[in-house]
Amino acid sequence: MKNYITGFPRIGEQRELKRALEGFWAGKIDEASLQAVAKELRIKHIKYQDERGIDLISVNDFSFYDLMLDNIITFGAIPSRFQNLNGLEQYFALARGSKDSVAMEMTKWFNTNYHYIVPEITKDTKFSLNLDKILSEYKEAKSITSRKLKINLIGPITFLALSKTTDKTCPFSKFDELVSKYCELLKEISKLDDEVIVQIDEPIFVTDLDEKLVKFIKPTYNKFSEISNLKIIFMTYFENAIKAVNELVDTKVWAIGLDFTNDKNFKALDVLAKSDKVLFAGIINGRNVWRANLDDKLKIIKKIKENLSDDRIFIGTSCSLLHVPFTLKYEDKLNSEIKSWLSFAVEKLDEVRIISKLASNLELNQNDQKIYNESLEAAKNRKISKLINDDEVNLRVKSLTKFRRDGDFKDRISLQDKRLNLKSLPTTTIGSFPQTAELRQIRRAYKNEVVDENFYENEIKKYIDECIKFQEEIDLDVLVHGEPERNDMVEYFGEQLSGYAFTQNGWVQSYGSRCVKPPLLFGDVKRPNPMTVKWITYAQSKTNKPVKGMLTGPVTIMNWSFVRDDKDKSEIVKELALAIADEINDLQNAGIKIIQVDEAAFKEGYPLRKEDVCAYEKFAVDAFRLAVSPARKDTQIHTHMCYSEFNDIIKTIEAMDADVISIETARSGNELLKVFKEVGYKQEIGPGVYDIHSPRVPSVEELVEQIENILKVLPKEKLWINPDCGLKTRKWEEVKPSLKNMVEAVKIIRSY
């Protein structure tokens, strides 16, 4: 039985690509040096798979920034504002903006924390073909390994379904034109070898859009399959794709990829059994870090084999491994018991190889037998480990009596307005200020015990002093302490909660060069001590203006962690909510008037199928309400959400009952805000007035126009003015003029 990997991480085992990209953007290395790093990484990643016995190795899963962006370049779908650029200058301008043009919109890839660049389709879009990347990477891979290769592509249906329009053009009005370009591409690819395998990713068919889009499958994939020398894999992941399978069995595609970490995909086996299709069975979970119980995985394969013969089954990962850290190789400080429960991308290659051998009744060599035995032992030990279970936590959850805060919004906001006494269109930021190299170095030195606590705290206080001084100088209304003590908005809190563990090198790509290091939520959670009170109250002591307490919400902490898979998430999130509730109570008792509970990943956790949404919404809303339940009526609760389409969840957001919500709208215009107006949203809103993911500095005039446009949608009484997200990834030389211009723009608007 053959095996495969859906896709492999590209950032490098020690974030080599991140450093090269940031060096290139800063002008510290040239393009040749950047390309050299990229080539070295591609070669290493292929060798990793080759040496670990992966039969079918992916090509074109490498990217400098994002595969959707690569698709935009491949098919020439480049917005007119970037047409005067070329090469890498154009490529990175699409993602990051330029001095003359705003970047393309970026949003979450389905319900993951990975972001993709959203294609822009207009009536003037003319597709063209740029084959250089695909052809060169295939030839490069072929020179490295003798194993079979497969070329990864994002499919045309998913590409257009995830596109946006800027002139009310339906993206699918361009479908036939795009498909013809795909056919041209596939014909060129088919010349690369006697037989070329192409994995075409169509994950849009694991969403409820499948009902509208299945009609495109047969004509499109029959066309593709008619091209000689090609074997087409129609690949899906993350959820069930039953409707797509029902269509695909009547096409000429060679294979269908399904995610068998989702039980509903077993329903497809009866249909597949009556066809000639090969199944690419995603058995090893590509989205979590827990070591597979290989015996349990073999039971899944046994069930599949009841319907399909061995020669029609490929065993692999449920999705690309870019969603998990690279390797456990560097984790020498992690608790050995917890480490034994883990499996990162490289280790998952071993799991794929071993279960494909066992499923084929092949004898394991000594090393594979050792890994197999360890997997069974880890599964057994994890169930009974004393590290996981905390009776005190479980009793507190069962004894809950208060689930939400007192008072309705109308009563609360009246008290808050009197207490805060803010001007109209109050200005603030989302929370973080730049994480400079010096700041990271200080935290690292403290963590490694190179400097003592006194030195560390003095340095953090200096940074807070500078942040407060700067904000007062530009006349912001509501200040923040800048979060200099925080490495990451989830990891920082996880480090202070029981039930969490942390890696040294467990980085996962979020977008471009941006990586996150999700903590490992392995056991019952509680807050032994206050987590933020010391730093927030210090900042408040330096100013008469209100300073926001900054917390990460329970749903986001859960969604941005690698969460234990032995307990229901609806119970885990209650434990997290109680920890945040304790912190809110301590902050307000210390005199903090405004507390922001960020739920940046609230929408990200949504199931991809409507049938599962109600259950998620209930426990997510309940968790937020539980977290803020100690807040007094005159304590103002803010929340922040990232890259979300709110149209379908606006009532859910309203039910969360935050006093103020800040959202990212800078790249998407005012369309996002109209839904708040249409439903008569009662609470206050802080739309992002400029894009912090781009290095460009917006002018005062540009910001005045942006705020005026927002005021056409929502009244000033409901509005706060802020950037669209935290500023930790930006440089001070970008942040200072941008915020200064933002405040100046608000003063101009106030003077009308």
Side-chain angles (χ1 to χ4, degrees):
M1 199 173 291
K2 299 292 186 182
N3 61 54
Y4 70 98
I5 298 296
T6 314
F8 200 69
R10 54 201 180 233
I11 206 70
E13 65 183 58
Q14 293 189 297
R15 294 182 295 162
E16 295 92 333
L17 183 59
K18 169 189 172 66
R19 295 186 179 91
L21 285 170
E22 292 175 356
F24 177 71
W25 295 334
K28 294 177 181 177
I29 66 170
D30 60 15
E31 182 174 342
S33 300
L34 176 63
Q35 294 285 6
V37 170
K39 181 174 182 177
E40 183 180 352
L41 289 175
R42 288 194 299 269
I43 291 170
K44 277 185 180 178
H45 299 167
I46 287 171
K47 286 183 175 178
Y48 261 122
Q49 296 170 72
D50 189 346
E51 291 164 2
R52 281 163 177 77
I54 301 305
D55 296 314
L56 199 52
I57 295 175
S58 297
V59 176
N60 200 43
D61 58 347
F62 178 85
S63 176
F64 276 124
Y65 205 95
D66 166 53
L67 291 175
M68 280 288 276
L69 175 57
D70 293 354
N71 233 42
I72 290 167
I73 297 292
T74 297
F75 292 101
I78 297 164
S80 58
R81 65 185 181 277
F82 300 106
Q83 294 284 0
N84 62 321
L85 305 174
N86 53 59
L88 281 185
E89 182 184 10
Q90 181 187 67
Y91 180 88
F92 289 126
L94 294 172
R96 306 177 73 237
S98 66
K99 60 183 178 64
D100 300 316
S101 302
V102 296
M104 297 178 74
E105 187 178 344
M106 184 165 63
T107 195
K108 297 290 178 70
W109 181 249
F110 295 86
N111 58 354
T112 74
N113 190 30
Y114 177 78
H115 302 67
Y116 72 95
I117 300 298
V118 180
E120 295 176 17
I121 303 297
T122 71
K123 61 181 174 59
D124 298 320
T125 300
K126 299 292 183 189
F127 297 113
S128 58
L129 215 49
N130 182 343
L131 293 166
D132 294 348
K133 178 181 185 293
I134 297 171
L135 300 183
S136 64
E137 289 185 15
Y138 188 90
K139 291 171 184 174
E140 177 185 79
K142 198 168 172 60
S143 71
I144 299 164
T145 179
S146 59
R147 291 185 185 274
K148 269 285 191 182
L149 304 175
K150 66 176 170 67
I151 295 173
N152 288 19
L153 294 175
I154 292 169
I157 307 173
T158 294
F159 183 78
L160 288 180
L162 297 181
S163 297
K164 64 179 281 188
T165 178
T166 55
D167 64 357
K168 298 185 179 179
T169 297
C170 173
F172 279 89
S173 67
K174 297 287 183 178
F175 187 69
D176 289 343
E177 185 183 341
L178 180 60
V179 167
S180 71
K181 289 299 175 187
Y182 267 83
C183 287
E184 287 181 39
L185 171 68
L186 292 170
K187 284 174 185 174
E188 290 301 314
I189 285 174
S190 72
K191 298 173 187 176
L192 288 169
D193 238 320
D194 294 336
E195 177 185 83
V196 179
I197 298 174
V198 184
Q199 172 186 306
I200 304 183
D201 289 5
E202 291 284 15
I204 199 66
F205 288 99
V206 303
T207 73
D208 291 316
L209 285 174
D210 59 355
E211 292 185 16
K212 296 179 180 179
L213 299 176
V214 287
K215 63 185 178 183
F216 293 106
I217 291 177
K218 282 182 185 176
T220 303
Y221 280 86
N222 277 334
K223 269 185 189 175
F224 293 169
S225 301
E226 286 169 0
I227 298 169
S228 60
N229 297 335
L230 283 186
K231 283 186 170 181
I232 303 289
I233 309 163
F234 185 103
M235 182 64 71
T236 67
Y237 33 79
F238 301 148
E239 249 288 355
N240 80 78
I242 305 301
K243 287 186 175 69
V245 172
N246 289 334
E247 291 291 309
L248 287 162
V249 291
D250 294 326
T251 68
K252 299 173 185 176
V253 298
W254 171 58
I256 300 170
L258 297 174
D259 179 347
F260 280 92
T261 65
N262 185 285
D263 291 343
K264 292 175 185 174
N265 272 321
F266 285 108
K267 294 177 183 176
L269 293 176
D270 287 342
V271 180
L272 287 169
K274 298 170 186 174
S275 75
D276 62 350
K277 304 305 173 208
V278 170
L279 173 64
F280 275 61
I283 303 295
I284 295 298
N285 196 328
R287 288 185 64 173
N288 78 18
V289 294
W290 308 109
R291 192 171 196 161
N293 181 325
L294 296 182
D295 274 359
D296 286 349
K297 297 300 179 183
L298 285 169
K299 290 174 186 175
I300 294 173
I301 298 170
K302 183 179 179 182
K303 191 170 181 180
I304 293 170
K305 288 174 69 172
E306 289 171 2
N307 294 270
L308 302 174
S309 57
D310 285 16
D311 61 337
R312 290 178 57 196
I313 304 170
F314 276 67
I315 301 299
T317 57
S318 66
C319 62
S320 172
L321 294 175
L322 71 85
H323 302 292
V324 294
F326 202 98
T327 178
L328 281 165
K329 177 176 164 184
Y330 301 99
E331 304 303 332
D332 52 19
K333 293 184 180 178
L334 194 59
N335 176 292
S336 59
E337 185 177 358
I338 296 170
K339 185 177 177 179
S340 73
W341 303 336
L342 300 174
S343 175
F344 292 174
V346 170
E347 291 73 35
K348 288 180 188 294
L349 301 179
D350 293 330
E351 293 180 337
V352 167
R353 179 187 69 254
I354 291 168
I355 61 168
S356 64
K357 281 185 178 181
L358 291 170
S360 303
N361 297 314
L362 297 176
E363 187 175 346
L364 299 183
N365 62 31
Q366 188 175 359
N367 182 58
D368 286 353
Q369 186 66 50
K370 178 175 177 288
I371 294 171
Y372 171 69
N373 292 340
E374 286 173 350
S375 90
L376 302 185
E377 188 67 20
K380 178 184 173 183
N381 290 343
R382 194 168 157 222
K383 287 180 181 178
I384 59 173
S385 173
K386 293 180 180 178
L387 292 174
I388 288 179
N389 303 301
D390 189 314
D391 292 339
E392 180 187 335
V393 171
N394 293 315
L395 179 61
R396 188 181 180 193
V397 170
K398 288 176 183 176
S399 305
L400 280 171
T401 56
K402 185 176 182 181
F403 296 93
R404 62 182 302 172
R405 67 190 300 199
D406 297 328
D408 61 21
F409 172 72
K410 187 177 179 181
D411 292 336
R412 297 195 310 260
I413 201 67
S414 177
L415 293 170
Q416 293 160 17
D417 286 346
K418 288 176 185 175
R419 188 183 186 199
L420 296 170
N421 193 29
L422 298 172
K423 298 173 185 176
S424 65
L425 300 175
T427 56
T428 189
T429 68
I430 301 304
S432 57
F433 274 128
Q435 294 274 312
T436 62
E438 294 80 11
L439 192 55
R440 290 194 295 270
Q441 188 176 8
I442 289 164
R443 284 204 307 265
R444 195 179 306 117
Y446 177 59
K447 196 169 188 177
N448 295 333
E449 300 181 349
V450 175
V451 299
D452 63 19
E453 185 175 3
N454 186 57
F455 175 86
Y456 168 73
E457 293 199 353
N458 284 336
E459 291 299 311
I460 296 297
K461 286 177 179 177
K462 284 180 191 176
Y463 188 94
I464 293 172
D465 292 345
E466 291 168 5
C467 288
I468 296 296
K469 182 182 177 184
F470 164 65
Q471 292 172 91
E472 288 196 317
E473 284 173 351
I474 65 170
D475 204 21
L476 272 172
D477 298 309
V478 174
L479 315 188
V480 297
H481 78 297
E483 304 179 14
E485 78 284 11
R486 304 184 191 185
N487 42 10
D488 174 83
M489 67 182 290
V490 172
E491 184 175 357
Y492 173 77
F493 290 96
E495 285 176 339
Q496 300 179 78
L497 297 170
S498 64
Y500 266 96
F502 302 88
T503 61
Q504 294 162 260
N505 197 53
W507 297 99
V508 178
Q509 186 180 22
S510 181
Y511 62 86
S513 69
R514 169 80 169 134
C515 297
V516 294
K517 188 152 61 76
L520 313 173
L521 199 171
F522 68 86
D524 293 334
V525 177
K526 66 182 176 185
R527 184 201 74 147
N529 298 296
M531 302 180 285
T532 67
V533 177
K534 176 169 65 176
W535 300 119
I536 303 297
T537 53
Y538 174 78
Q540 186 64 80
S541 74
K542 296 294 181 176
T543 180
N544 292 322
K545 292 188 173 185
V547 175
K548 286 193 286 188
M550 300 301 305
L551 305 174
T552 303
V555 180
T556 294
I557 292 178
M558 182 176 72
N559 285 342
W560 282 355
S561 300
F562 287 118
V563 184
R564 60 192 292 189
D565 56 0
D566 61 338
K567 193 171 190 176
D568 194 271
K569 285 186 176 181
S570 62
E571 293 301 308
I572 296 168
V573 78
K574 287 178 188 174
E575 298 170 11
L576 290 163
L578 287 170
I580 299 302
D582 291 343
E583 191 71 14
I584 286 175
N585 197 45
D586 286 346
L587 282 167
Q588 68 179 357
N589 288 340
I592 302 304
K593 302 172 185 177
I594 301 176
I595 302 170
Q596 184 168 305
V597 183
D598 285 345
E599 285 293 13
F602 188 91
K603 181 69 185 289
E604 177 184 310
Y606 264 67
L608 296 172
R609 295 288 187 184
K610 287 178 184 175
E611 64 203 58
D612 302 316
V613 163
C614 285
Y616 173 81
E617 284 185 330
K618 181 173 183 352
F619 81 64
V621 170
D622 286 351
F624 185 85
R625 286 175 173 175
L626 178 59
V628 303
S629 61
R632 294 188 288 264
K633 293 179 184 179
D634 62 354
T635 298
Q636 190 167 85
I637 296 294
H638 289 223
T639 191
H640 171 68
M641 291 188 177
C642 294
Y643 293 126
S644 293
E645 293 297 331
F646 294 137
N647 301 51
D648 55 340
I649 67 162
I650 187 65
K651 288 297 183 184
T652 305
I653 292 172
E654 199 166 36
M656 291 170 67
D657 201 25
D659 300 310
V660 182
I661 181 174
S662 54
I663 55 176
E664 298 192 30
T665 60
R667 290 195 183 193
S668 56
N670 288 333
E671 292 303 311
L672 196 58
L673 295 179
K674 289 178 183 176
V675 67
F676 287 88
K677 181 179 181 180
E678 288 165 3
V679 301
Y681 188 77
K682 299 180 184 67
Q683 290 92 331
E684 297 184 358
I685 307 168
V689 296
Y690 76 89
D691 175 23
I692 69 89
H693 301 90
S694 169
R696 66 186 298 273
V697 174
S699 66
V700 173
E701 295 75 20
E702 181 183 334
L703 288 163
V704 167
E705 182 180 0
Q706 174 77 344
I707 296 166
E708 286 176 338
N709 287 334
I710 291 170
L711 286 167
K712 292 175 184 175
V713 181
L714 295 170
K716 67 178 181 180
E717 292 78 16
K718 282 186 177 293
L719 290 178
W720 288 62
I721 305 299
N722 45 259
D724 71 354
C725 200
L727 301 166
K728 68 183 291 184
T729 61
R730 299 268 55 92
K731 297 181 173 64
W732 275 113
E733 53 265 36
E734 299 156 2
V735 166
K736 287 186 175 181
S738 296
L739 288 180
K740 186 177 179 182
N741 290 351
M742 185 186 82
V743 174
E744 184 60 32
V746 169
K747 288 181 177 179
I748 291 170
I749 298 288
R750 284 174 181 162
S751 70
Y752 290 174

